[in-house]
Amino acid sequence: MDFAIFLVQLLNGLQYGLLLFLIASGLTLVFGVMGILNLAHGSMYMVGAYLVWYFFQLTDQFLLSALISAALALGLGVLIEKTLIHRLYKRNHLDQVLLTIGMIFVFNALQSILWGDDPLGVPVPELLSGSIHLTELVEYPVYRLFVAALCLLLAGALYLVINRTRIGMLIRAGESNREMVECLGVNINQLYTLVFGAGVMLAALAGVVAAPMISIVPGMGEHVLITCFVVVVIGGMGSIKGAFVAALLVGVVDTFASVLVPGVSSMIVYILMAVILLIKPEGLFSSQK
Amino acid sequence: MSESPLSQSPSQLSQANLAEADDTSEAHAISEAHAASEAHARSESTVVLETEGLCKYWGGVKALDNMSLRFHERSLHGIVGPNGAGKSTLLNMLCGTYKPTAGRIIHNGDCINDIRPYDFARRGIGRGFQKTNIYPQVTCLENCCIAAQRRVGGSFNIFLPKNSSQLLEEMADQALAQVGLESRRDEIASHISYGEQRQLEIAMVLATAPSVLLLDEPMAGMGHEESQLIIELLKTLKKDYCIVLVEHDMDAVFELSDQLTVMVNGQHLITGSVEEVRDNSKVKEAYLGQGDEVI
Amino acid sequence: MFFLKKAENWFVWIFFPLALLLPLFLEQNEFYVNKLTSVVIFAMFVMSLDYLVGRCGMITLGHSMFYGLGGYLFIMIAPEYEAVNFWVYTFYICVIAALIALVVGVIVLRTSGIYMIMITLAIAQMCFYFFSDSVEFGGNDGLFIFTKPDTSLFGLSFFNLDDPMHFYYFCLLSLFNCLVFWKVVTGSRFGRIMEAVKDNPARTTALGYNVFLFRLISYCMASALAAYAGYLFALQYGYVNPSMMSWQTSGTALVMSILGGMGSLYGAILGTVVYEGLHYTFEHLTQHWLLLMGSMIIAMVMLFKSGLAGVIDNLVERRK
């Protein structure tokens, strides 16, 4: 493999990893702060992609559609938390699994009713549709770089929110000791709603920005969900930092595996996870004791 | 621990002090004879459990440092110390929950540092937990049956009905009788009172036929009468078992202990008889506070 | 004697006679008999999961791996064009599955709670992709079983695997045996300690039991019976494919088990029957049956805390 191809693969891997982080951060936040295992998180990614496709059909404006989609996703997250998740904090993981599997069913059905089962696509926005030359022969699409940059930006923003704000302080407290946050008592309901809504929005946003790069198909949520689980587990449940490192690791490993060892490429991520859990059963950056 | 525990003068102690004041010579004679006989008994009674230079570090924090203790059979060894002194850490190492960083634990002459946590119980080291730790959803009898079944065997037999053994039930009943819970035999464990749950926990440990009983604050959170019940129970039990008792209730510890160890900040301060410890100036200074109020 | 609880007794006395009689009304329609058979087979699988999750407290999302392996193992070890003995291969498959579970269990059981959910999922996914990517095992399409085994025992043949009615009754008998087996296990001395391990592992260790070993044995038993169910499924349809091992299969089984009432064992049958019944009904009502199914599940979680078995228990206890 020459250097240029290596570079392209590395960029692909990092960009995929960053996208994974966007989704996984919501998953790990919701678990870390609220102790909720949300299996329907992947569906939010799917919802984001379908929403942006729908609004793009209506408005023909990618940015506008993206913003509307993100706002709707936030609303959806808040709605779900207020109506359903809210009543499940005191229940065990099994009930959460059951509820969120039910939600997967509903979202899949709604997707099929509203938008059908055919693969859909969103064109890359005009402004970002070009490519840049890495070397004389190898080009790299600008949009992918844009996505990577955007994800990094969001990761940075998330970092600032978590480390510099009061809400962030509560979230960090939740990461290390969930019971303690419950004891703080202050507006805990609002915090939960906010975190869940933000988690849903991040996942939907990942779906939105991914939409021009992939074909939008039914079941896309479940596939990404499992990969995100792997990320969250490798990183350590509830740890944002862990999710970031693990997402990049998974992204790069997965991308290179599909080039170097195509035969076992779909297994490689799971092997990675099994190996890491064997060494560190609680993940790389586990904060929950 | 803002107030000195001794200032809440225990009845027994103040009586002893009064006796001393009234009839000094006789009291002296009695206590001397008592001490002599006790020393004699101790040298003869065998050491069941022993620690040699036991240490536990959590990262850089020394939870327990260089602890060498001997626990004798048929006696009660009290361990006291302020919060964070490392008492629970010590107990957790004696029953295999934590592995020592350095030092040795010796049981009946064998070093048992490296045996599995469940093997501690098999060797006869039974423990009670700081928080009530029973099986709340089943009856008291069943709680003891679970404990006693290891002695009867067949725990890996998936076809042997669990209620088939008369012997097992007798063992469980006997353990319940030892702590005086016969009347609660068929009640669900979560339905009996808190004090009774603590008794049940001791019964469970007894049902495993231990030689050493490690008890972590069995009287915590109890009312006076309930505590008194446990004290009476421990008085009976120490005739047959080696008991290591971690307890905050000073009256109880002074009343029960044959030997007493004081720990501060993971360090061993002193080990001796109740009198030795009570009169030790270091103890007064480090832990008991203004002991002169009592004396 | 095994069915001590009243509700359980009721259920057994209603369900099994009904299940015995039902095919008599459906004799003209092979489709329905086959449908019933697959429900009965899946109930066996769900029951093994129910034991694992509800009675041992080990939540796994990777149980479908053993269900799928039951089918694939048969293809791997049996000669392609020669009828082998059914009973012998049942034994082989259960033993091999238990051995695989032994290895997997040693890894998986180091963790607990949410980590166990994840790592079981990961291992099952690994297995899923192994079979769906391999050319040798037919990839996504799976493989056909060309020769069904011969069911004679000591030279006597009791039933014919190709006859749907025979097969149905055999599966029903297997289901009953599974129920009895799990009841015996949970009522045994082993079951007592397993229950103790589930309720309070720290206490059970302190009493001198090797908690890990109890979990491992349970894991192996449940995996062997899951493989048995998968083996029957493969024989019924004459093929295996990787979707048997997909995480959706585990998820569905978990839903059925929770629906029926986790840990009640008979609830596994109840949950499977009700779920499949609803599935069938909704499917005929609308193409978007998932919407109804999903809403049903959500309503279920919100309304009942201990599944259908809990509801029945309450009803029966109240009548008393």
Side-chain angles (χ1 to χ4, degrees), chain A residues 91 233 237 266 278 282, chain C residues 110 114-115 118 133 288 301:
Chain A
R91 309 269 286 272
V233 168
M237 298 284 308
S266 18
L278 263 183
E282 307 270 279
Chain C
R110 285 160 51 98
I114 226 131
Y115 281 91
M118 300 294 173
D133 285 355
H288 303 294
V301 186

Side-chain angles (χ1 to χ4, degrees), chain C residues 85 87 150-158:
Chain C
N85 187 288
W87 308 101
D150 154 42
T151 56
S152 60
L153 190 62
F154 306 119
L156 293 167
S157 189
F158 298 101

